[in-house]
Amino acid sequence: MSRTDNTAATLVKEHTQPTPPSAERRIDSKSLLGDEGRVIIEHDGQHYLLRQTHAGKLILTK
């Protein structure tokens, strides 16, 4: 095979949606944030505030 001929190395893939790994967890934001719309997350000894804005977006602050 020459350097310009790489057709043998080309794989044909179908375009499909990637399947999430079975170990991937999914948590509904309403159950995570509760009625208050906010939760404190502890990560490596640091505290972070995850809150929902009035526009429905999520903001994570340290």
Side-chain angles (χ1 to χ4, degrees):
M1 175 166 58
S2 70
R3 294 184 94 176
T4 57
D5 180 18
N6 63 359
T7 55
T10 304
L11 298 175
V12 177
K13 289 186 175 182
E14 292 183 26
H15 294 287
T16 59
Q17 290 286 2
T19 55
S22 59
E24 189 172 287
R25 296 183 341 145
R26 190 172 291 215
I27 300 172
D28 182 73
S29 64
K30 291 187 189 314
S31 65
L32 180 65
L33 300 173
D35 292 334
E36 301 83 18
R38 54 196 298 146
V39 65
I40 295 175
I41 300 170
E42 185 176 336
H43 175 70
D44 286 341
Q46 302 282 330
H47 291 138
Y48 297 84
L49 174 65
L50 178 65
R51 65 183 178 88
Q52 183 175 2
T53 67
H54 291 294
K57 304 204 183 231
L58 296 178
I59 297 179
L60 180 66
T61 54
K62 189 171 181 183

